Amino acid sequence: MRLKLTIEYDGTGFRGWAGQPALRTVEGTLREGLERVFASWNGLVVAGRTDTGVHALGQVASVDVEGGPPPERTAEALNAELPDDVAVGVAEQVASDFDARRSAQARSYRYRIYRRRSPSPFEARRSWWYPRPLDEERLAESAELLLGEHDFRAFTPTETKHRVFVRTVESAVWHRRGDSLELEITADSFLRHMVRTLVGTMLEHSPDELAALLEGRDRAEAGSTAPPWGLYLVGVRY
């Protein structure tokens, strides 16, 4: 049967999602859990490959399995085999043509900036500590400019496997939540480093400069790439 797994993980101790020899990754760790729980499995697909240090609250994977527990007990069985920094929240049987990546209609990310004047050990590796002044009205104006279809090639590394750089953003809003300022953004899909580079650019450039970058400018014209530990994959819509 084919399963849809909704997964949470703290990205601090992982070298990203994608399996790599001799490196600890989320995919490699999940594969080890699948090996222990099921007699056989294949076709593991993920909705979005997260980078080193990036977290997930609602990552989604699909996989074909045989000879293990029923779907209603799969999450519990996998979590018994997984380390504390990754967990399967929900496991459910889906149609055989469901594909975690290709079936996705939209993905949502959150980027957290910690604004307190002093750092917090509880926020380290969970947000970007940025105590310097910020113009929140300007950030809100910049976020509105992201809505709709744009060419985002300025917000992904120049050396890339991407061939199409146009993406459609359906929502982008900055929220003040206590000592944190958080960007919530949803789009049909994202380029590598896109959210982090958008955050860095919004902090360093004016809305007018950002608008020009959305016309397909070179990466060198955009701002810095924000650190990975402030980024969370919040969810995937199907």
Side-chain angles (χ1 to χ4, degrees):
M1 63 182 172
R2 180 159 298 184
L3 292 177
K4 173 188 175 186
L5 307 177
T6 302
I7 308 165
E8 298 181 359
Y9 49 85
D10 175 350
T12 304
F14 295 104
R15 293 294 295 272
W17 168 271
Q20 303 175 63
L23 294 178
R24 187 174 187 259
T25 67
V26 183
E27 180 182 22
T29 301
L30 182 59
R31 284 175 173 267
E32 292 174 0
L34 290 168
E35 291 284 352
R36 298 188 186 103
V37 171
F38 295 99
S40 66
W41 64 270
N42 63 76
L44 179 63
V45 177
V46 70
R49 293 186 175 188
T50 51
D51 291 327
T52 298
V54 175
H55 314 294
L57 302 175
Q59 176 70 279
V60 177
S62 54
V63 62
D64 293 326
V65 298
E66 289 186 9
E72 62 270 18
R73 292 178 51 205
T74 292
E76 181 181 2
L78 282 171
N79 290 333
E81 303 294 340
L82 293 172
D84 291 342
D85 49 1
V86 57
V88 176
V90 179
E92 52 193 314
Q93 185 173 359
V94 290
S96 60
D97 61 350
F98 176 83
D99 183 288
R101 182 172 67 86
R102 293 184 177 87
S103 300
Q105 297 179 349
R107 298 158 177 84
S108 297
Y109 281 88
R110 175 183 302 146
Y111 196 91
R112 301 184 65 243
I113 298 177
Y114 192 57
R115 300 289 294 131
R116 200 174 74 178
R117 293 191 63 181
S118 58
S120 167
F122 299 104
E123 289 288 338
R125 303 301 173 182
R126 298 289 188 281
S127 61
W128 181 17
W129 180 51
Y130 195 96
R132 299 185 291 281
L134 284 177
D135 186 334
E136 294 187 25
E137 290 186 5
R138 192 178 78 166
L139 289 176
E141 183 180 346
S142 293
E144 289 184 10
L145 294 172
L146 303 180
L147 301 179
E149 186 178 274
H150 302 285
D151 187 327
F152 287 94
R153 72 184 67 215
F155 304 96
T156 194
T158 302
E159 298 297 324
T160 178
K161 295 181 180 179
H162 292 295
R163 294 293 177 262
V164 178
F165 299 91
V166 174
R167 297 293 187 271
T168 301
V169 175
E170 63 179 59
S171 65
V173 181
W174 286 97
H175 298 275
R176 166 67 77 165
R177 292 168 176 150
D179 290 324
S180 296
L181 188 61
E182 303 179 1
L183 175 67
E184 303 271 1
I185 183 168
T186 298
D188 53 352
S189 64
F190 290 85
L191 303 170
R192 187 164 183 254
H193 294 178
M194 178 174 153
V195 177
R196 292 164 53 201
T197 309
L198 282 170
V199 169
T201 301
M202 282 190 273
L203 266 60
E204 298 170 5
H205 292 259
S206 70
D208 287 343
E209 291 169 327
L210 177 66
L213 291 167
L214 293 171
E215 297 175 358
R217 299 290 183 87
D218 292 337
R219 171 65 185 90
E221 298 183 44
S224 305
T225 301
W229 46 83
L231 184 61
Y232 297 72
L233 173 56
V234 175
V236 185
R237 189 176 74 235
Y238 293 93

